[in-house]
Amino acid sequence: MTAAVASTLPVENAWFQPPERRTPPEFSIIAADFKSRIQSTLEADSFSRKIAETATQSEREDTKISENRRTAIIRAIDRAIISAFPSTAPAPTLSLEALQEWEGYVTAIGDEIFRGRLIDLTAGRKIEEEEADFPICDLSDDDRELLEMGAVFRWIIGYQRAKGGTKRRVSQVTFRRLPAWTRKDLMQAKETAAELSHEISWK
Amino acid sequence: MRIEPELGACSIVLLGHFNPLIFSPLWFAQNKIVSETQATDAEVTVVNPQITVCKIGKFQIQVDFDRFAADTAEAPWIDLSDFVTRTFGLLIHTPINQMGINRFVHFSVGNEETRNRIGNLLAPLEPWGEWGKEIAKGKVDGRRGGYTDLTMLQPKAPGPMSGHLQVQVQPSTRIKADAGIFVHVNDHYTSGSLDQTIGCERMIAVLAKSFEPSIRRSEELIDQVMSLREQI
């Protein structure tokens, strides 16, 4: 047995696995009102016990509680309110699980189709062994903007489920919005290339 | 995975110091992290100095002072990693000292009886003696007893980036007829105390490198839970 450590888990009221008992919607209004009242009280306290609403700007700046301290108190109260009045974020209207997934890069672009070299990720392949043509008209407008030679994309075949329970098989290509290369990345790539080049022995 | 999930999702949670006001749909579009159309169509719940909650494209985002969370229910999951990597590639001075790569799945095992037998494999009633026997008798007032939450944790080797792998198994609250199981895998990374953390370059490099292997490992663990259906 071990003590639980759970700091990067989603918040308890996440939509993934909502609690069985739902909070009535009017509670969110009560929570907002509750929060506002507590903040007013804290402000009033920090302005030498004057009522926050009547404090002038200069009096507001002349606070007895440091900014960090006040922020920490407000955060603590926020967390108390969230745990006292949990609200569940709405579940997404669509979900898509991949049955098969490939990564590819564009090798040719025609008027109606583009061609890509593919690595079968589901089969655990490391190098591209397949090639396929894809209709450009199947791409979304966003993805069409990213279509260019060498562009990296994912092709998945999977089941898309709608909130109402509808399920359909889909084939979807999405282009990756890859992080930009940093100077450090380029330096490392050059170093790796130099090391590889150095290790090649010509016979 | 041997059983097709009825609902699955991925999330990335970062802990550090954040400025929630930055994370508006417009900012994401201006920096080409999402398209202009996605930013225009974004569903903004709130963007203010305390908290930002919005949905941009397929990503749900929630940011407050000490926590950034992004999740999606639509594969390919690598898009989520690209989204976060690109975001913090621009915000490299943001101090981040902890990260969680989370994978969630709800799947059906067919019926309530099968689910209960799987529950009994994971958390047997026998060690609970007479109380276990009482629970095993069946439903009381329409409710069945048994385990409600099981969490297993494996710490990672100490080093500059330590952490743990945590698997949580619960009866699904999303699948009808009490036939579903919810499995959540949390792959947690920590680089030490926040006070001594400068920027997020190292954590984001770990994310870029570890995201897909982490998801694969999580799915293997989820598949292990799914395999219990074949053992009963």
Side-chain angles (χ1 to χ4, degrees):
Chain A
M1 278 194 210
T2 183
V5 188
S7 51
T8 54
L9 299 168
V11 287
E12 281 178 22
N13 59 358
W15 60 266
F16 311 113
Q17 169 82 331
E20 299 243 26
R21 275 190 295 174
R22 296 292 183 89
T23 309
E26 58 269 25
F27 270 25
S28 61
I29 298 165
I30 298 167
D33 183 44
F34 185 26
K35 186 176 169 181
S36 159
R37 281 167 189 273
I38 289 171
Q39 279 182 337
S40 299
T41 308
L42 277 170
E43 280 184 356
D45 180 54
S46 68
F47 305 142
S48 308
R49 298 187 184 186
K50 287 177 185 171
I51 300 165
E53 288 75 9
T54 61
T56 64
Q57 187 58 36
S58 62
E59 285 170 327
R60 280 168 187 269
E61 284 162 7
D62 183 26
T63 173
K64 279 189 173 177
I65 301 177
S66 74
E67 197 60 38
N68 285 347
R69 172 80 182 129
R70 188 191 302 165
T71 302
I73 293 170
I74 291 172
R75 293 285 302 134
I77 293 169
D78 281 354
R79 289 197 190 287
I81 293 168
I82 288 166
S83 60
F85 304 104
S87 61
T88 306
T93 49
L94 285 178
S95 69
L96 176 59
E97 279 281 343
L99 297 172
Q100 193 82 25
E101 185 169 350
W102 293 263
E103 176 151 285
Y105 61 90
V106 178
T107 54
I109 304 172
D111 291 337
E112 292 177 359
I113 60 159
F114 72 92
R115 179 164 295 168
R117 296 274 300 160
L118 303 167
I119 303 170
D120 186 345
L121 299 175
T122 313
R125 300 280 186 267
K126 301 282 181 203
I127 52 166
E128 62 267 33
E129 292 172 340
E130 299 167 58
E131 199 164 46
D133 290 341
F134 300 91
I136 293 172
C137 61
D138 282 358
L139 296 175
S140 69
D141 291 345
D142 289 340
D143 282 304
R144 210 174 290 191
E145 287 173 16
L146 301 172
L147 174 62
E148 60 182 19
M149 287 294 288
V152 180
F153 63 90
R154 287 286 166 118
W155 175 32
I156 59 169
I157 293 173
Y159 283 118
Q160 187 182 62
R161 289 172 189 263
K163 207 174 176 181
T166 320
K167 175 180 166 183
R168 67 189 184 102
R169 199 178 173 95
V170 296
S171 164
Q172 185 176 295
V173 171
T174 49
F175 281 89
R176 291 184 64 184
R177 290 177 182 268
L178 288 162
W181 289 93
T182 63
R183 192 178 294 174
K184 195 175 166 187
D185 291 331
L186 294 171
M187 292 270 283
Q188 278 177 348
K190 270 187 182 174
E191 280 172 22
T192 309
E195 278 172 26
L196 289 171
S197 168
H198 185 70
E199 283 171 16
I200 294 171
S201 56
W202 302 99
K203 289 184 180 176
Chain B
M1 291 180 282
R2 67 193 69 203
I3 301 174
E4 185 222 330
E6 296 208 3
L7 179 63
C10 261
S11 94
I12 295 172
V13 176
L14 304 171
L15 303 185
H17 281 316
F18 303 95
N19 177 2
L21 208 50
I22 291 177
F23 301 90
S24 70
L26 185 65
W27 181 84
F28 286 108
Q30 279 179 344
N31 289 289
K32 304 203 181 300
I33 297 166
V34 300
S35 71
E36 282 187 20
T37 316
Q38 286 171 323
T40 310
D41 295 345
E43 296 163 31
V44 179
T45 307
V46 58
V47 176
N48 72 30
Q50 276 77 40
I51 189 164
T52 288
V53 180
C54 60
K55 187 171 189 294
I56 311 173
K58 65 181 191 178
F59 309 116
Q60 176 86 36
I61 302 152
Q62 182 163 338
V63 192
D64 58 34
F65 289 122
D66 55 11
R67 185 183 178 90
F68 170 98
D71 66 68
T72 180
E74 291 177 60
W77 312 120
I78 191 70
D79 290 346
L80 181 67
S81 170
D82 288 343
F83 174 77
V84 176
T85 308
R86 222 175 142 99
T87 298
F88 288 96
L90 293 168
L91 303 170
I92 53 167
H93 301 299
T94 308
I96 295 172
N97 70 324
Q98 294 183 66
M99 172 176 72
I101 300 171
N102 298 283
R103 178 79 166 103
F104 316 83
V105 153
H106 290 262
F107 65 92
S108 171
V109 290
N111 55 56
E112 187 185 357
E113 182 56 32
T114 306
R115 185 175 81 173
N116 290 334
R117 288 167 75 180
I118 291 171
N120 203 36
L121 273 179
L122 288 167
L125 291 171
E126 291 72 26
W128 294 94
E130 289 304 313
W131 190 48
K133 284 179 190 166
E134 277 180 41
I135 292 172
K137 281 179 186 168
K139 289 184 177 179
V140 177
D141 194 22
R143 297 173 65 208
R144 185 183 290 275
Y147 94 91
T148 57
D149 188 4
L150 181 85
T151 303
M152 294 285 284
L153 185 141
Q154 179 194 25
K156 289 178 187 168
M161 195 64 75
S162 56
H164 59 257
L165 192 63
Q166 180 173 300
V167 183
Q168 189 176 25
V169 186
Q170 294 177 351
S172 168
T173 57
R174 289 211 164 268
I175 295 179
K176 290 173 187 165
D178 293 330
I181 292 177
F182 170 72
V183 186
H184 167 206
V185 184
N186 170 241
D187 186 10
H188 177 84
Y189 298 81
T190 179
S191 63
S193 80
L194 187 56
D195 296 342
Q196 291 168 356
T197 302
I198 300 167
C200 60
E201 220 170 347
R202 211 174 81 195
M203 190 62 88
I204 296 305
V206 170
L207 171 64
K209 192 179 171 190
S210 309
F211 182 80
E212 288 209 286
S214 170
I215 295 297
R216 267 198 300 277
R217 174 82 173 123
S218 297
E219 290 182 352
E220 283 168 12
L221 292 166
I222 293 166
D223 190 61
Q224 174 61 33
V225 178
M226 289 174 169
S227 76
L228 298 177
R229 191 178 68 168
E230 293 154 22
Q231 293 180 31
I232 55 173

